[in-house]
Amino acid sequence: MPSARFDYVELPATDLPATKAFYEAAFGWSLTDFGPDYAATVTNDTDIGLAGPGSDAPAAPLPAIRTDDLEAALERVVAAGGRLVRPIFAFPGGRRFEAVDPSGNRVAVYEPDAPEGGGDAVAE
């Protein structure tokens, strides 16, 4: 079975600059801006993304699960009883889909783009 693990959580941020400043000050995290409406930590561990008001922000925290085979993951999610709420789509850095588990928790499952030359996609 391909590997899969939680490694990203998106949080809604109604005031992106203030929310970014809070996490930087409270926890010493460094957040990188990815456009005017999104900022995220990039640590290759469990990261957090802040989706500002101009983005397609989730209404609640959105755990994201990294996989190395997105289509196979989609098949497994649906077979296990997950309900697809957003089909596979591309985003800067990869592709993902979103589903709801049997308890109603929404999750994103994504596969990062492979960098040129192969290996894991890592933002620097």
Side-chain angles (χ1 to χ4, degrees):
M1 174 177 289
S3 68
R5 68 178 182 90
F6 279 107
D7 79 343
Y8 201 86
V9 176
E10 281 186 353
L11 303 173
T14 56
D15 182 343
L16 182 60
T19 305
K20 177 182 172 188
F22 166 79
Y23 282 103
E24 289 176 334
F27 302 107
W29 294 347
S30 176
L31 284 94
T32 301
D33 291 324
F34 291 95
D37 297 312
Y38 201 89
T41 59
V42 185
T43 64
N44 293 321
D45 197 346
T46 301
D47 289 314
I48 110 172
L50 303 176
S55 68
D56 188 16
L62 179 66
I65 302 165
R66 180 179 175 152
T67 184
D68 55 7
D69 187 339
L70 193 61
E71 285 74 15
L74 175 58
E75 289 178 18
R76 288 192 312 274
V77 165
V78 171
R83 180 174 52 87
L84 185 65
V85 294
R86 193 164 180 194
I88 293 174
F89 66 95
F91 67 93
R95 299 179 309 132
R96 81 181 198 191
F97 67 87
E98 295 173 17
V100 175
D101 73 16
S103 294
N105 297 299
R106 190 170 183 145
V107 298
V109 180
Y110 79 99
E111 180 178 5
D113 289 336
E116 291 182 30
D120 282 343
V122 177
E124 297 186 25

